[in-house]
Amino acid sequence: MTEPQDIWLVANPASGSNDDDALNALSDRCERAGLCLTRKIAFPDEDLPTPAELDAAGIGTIAVFAGDGTINALVTALDGWGGAVLVLPGGTMNLLSIRLHGPRSSEEIVDAVVTGDARRVRLSTVRCGDHMALAGLLAGPATAWGDVREAMRDLDVPAMVGETVEAVSESTEGAHVHCSEPAAGRAEGYPLLMLTPEDGNFSVKGYYAEGIVDYARQGLAILRRNFREGPHDDLGNFTTMLATSDNGTAIPLLVDGERQDGAAQLRFTLGACGVDLIATGAS
C-alpha cells in the first residue's frame, strides 16, 4: 500500500480482549499504517453495515475486532458483498483469526496487510440449516457449558453457579448424539460432537466421559474452548453427515460459540463463506 485506505471497523465491547485501551491501540496502529478508520461500529448496540451501505461509502475492506460470534454475524450480514473482511483477534480464543493468520497479533496482521503479505480467501464452512460455522460447531447436551461461559464473561456469579449445576445435569443426563449417516463412533453416542471446517471437508470428534467428575473436567475444557484436553474419538472427515438424538429431542448447538436451536435430526454439510476474508502469512 502506498496511499491511505479508508476502512470501517466493527468491534464488540463485550468480547474477551476488546477493552477501550486495546481498541484505541488498534486504531492508532491502523492510522499509522495508512488504514484510516472512517467509521467505528459498536456491535450489538449499533447495527451491522449492509453491502449497500459499504458500497455507497466507497469502502472495500471492513475490519472486525471481536470474537468468533460477532465475526460470524458480520460475515453472514455481508453474504454476497464484493469487498473483503479483515478479521482481527479481539475475542477470548480467536479461533477464526488463528485459522486466517496463525498466532499473529492485531498489530502484526495490520503490518502484513499494508506490506502486501495478504490475500483474499473463501474459507470452507460447516452448515446446518440456516446456520454457518467458520471456526467450529458443537452439538449435544454438553453445549450447556456455553451458558456458564457467558455468565463468567458477564461476571454474574449467581447465574454462573446456577448454569454450572444445569450444565453438569445436561452433560450427564441429556440425550446423546449419534453420527448416524454415515454411521461412525460409539453405539451409545456422545454428549458432545465437535465439527471443524477444513480445506475440502470438516473433521468430527466425539467427546465422552465416564462419570460426573470427567464431565466437570470436560466442561472446564469447553469453558476454555480447549476441547482437545478431554477424552474423544476422531470420527473422520466428511462433506456431509447426519446426526440424530437418541430420544428424539432437539440437539442443542453452539455455532462459533453462540447458542442456536437445533432439531432431533441435523444434517451438516460442507459449505463456503459468502464473502472474501483476508488471510496473511503462508497459504
Side-chain angles (χ1 to χ4, degrees):
M1 282 179 46
T2 58
E3 298 180 357
Q5 176 184 351
D6 290 349
I7 67 172
W8 287 5
L9 174 68
V10 173
N12 185 339
S15 293
S17 58
N18 196 342
D19 57 21
D20 289 340
D21 290 341
L23 187 57
N24 290 334
L26 173 63
S27 299
D28 290 343
R29 185 69 193 91
C30 288
E31 296 289 344
R32 291 197 303 272
L35 300 178
C36 301
L37 302 181
T38 56
R39 183 181 174 191
K40 298 177 184 177
I41 298 166
F43 178 80
D45 292 336
E46 297 179 82
D47 291 338
L48 293 170
T50 65
E53 288 177 306
L54 292 165
D55 290 341
I59 299 298
T61 300
I62 183 166
V64 53
F65 184 57
D68 294 322
T70 298
I71 297 167
N72 186 304
L74 177 64
V75 168
T76 300
L78 295 181
D79 188 81
W81 180 49
V85 178
L86 176 61
V87 172
L88 301 172
T92 303
M93 290 299 294
N94 304 307
L95 298 179
L96 183 57
S97 180
I98 291 171
R99 189 180 177 195
L100 289 164
H101 312 294
R104 290 181 170 185
S105 67
S106 293
E107 292 76 11
E108 291 170 329
I109 294 167
V110 169
D111 289 344
V113 170
V114 300
T115 58
D117 183 19
R119 63 197 183 281
R120 290 164 69 134
V121 298
R122 288 286 178 110
L123 292 183
S124 315
T125 67
V126 179
R127 292 189 176 270
C128 180
D130 294 333
H131 306 305
M132 172 198 69
L134 287 155
L137 185 150
L138 300 177
T143 56
W145 286 92
D147 294 333
V148 184
R149 190 179 71 241
E150 291 300 310
M152 290 177 65
R153 187 172 70 177
D154 295 338
L155 301 179
D156 188 340
V157 175
M160 184 177 68
V161 173
E163 296 293 354
T164 299
V165 172
E166 180 66 20
V168 171
S169 174
E170 287 293 323
S171 297
T172 55
E173 300 174 10
H176 281 197
V177 181
H178 301 260
C179 297
S180 53
E181 186 185 300
R186 299 182 175 215
E188 66 270 26
Y190 299 91
L192 186 73
L193 297 180
M194 181 174 74
L195 294 82
T196 304
E198 300 175 355
D199 290 336
N201 56 55
F202 55 87
S203 65
V204 181
K205 300 180 187 296
Y207 286 79
Y208 60 88
E210 304 299 340
I212 191 167
V213 173
D214 284 344
Y215 276 109
R217 289 172 179 165
Q218 190 76 281
L220 293 175
I222 293 171
L223 293 180
R224 294 192 296 270
R225 299 183 71 177
N226 188 7
F227 313 109
R228 294 170 180 83
E229 290 184 1
H232 66 273
D233 296 326
D234 291 314
L235 304 182
N237 294 75
F238 306 85
T239 57
T240 183
M241 188 193 75
L242 183 70
T244 307
S245 168
D246 68 5
N247 68 356
T249 58
I251 301 169
L253 299 172
L254 282 177
V255 180
D256 286 345
E258 300 296 324
R259 181 172 283 282
Q260 303 291 350
D261 294 330
Q265 284 193 333
L266 296 172
R267 172 67 67 179
F268 302 105
T269 58
L270 182 71
C273 182
V275 65
D276 285 349
L277 306 179
I278 296 175
T280 63
S283 59

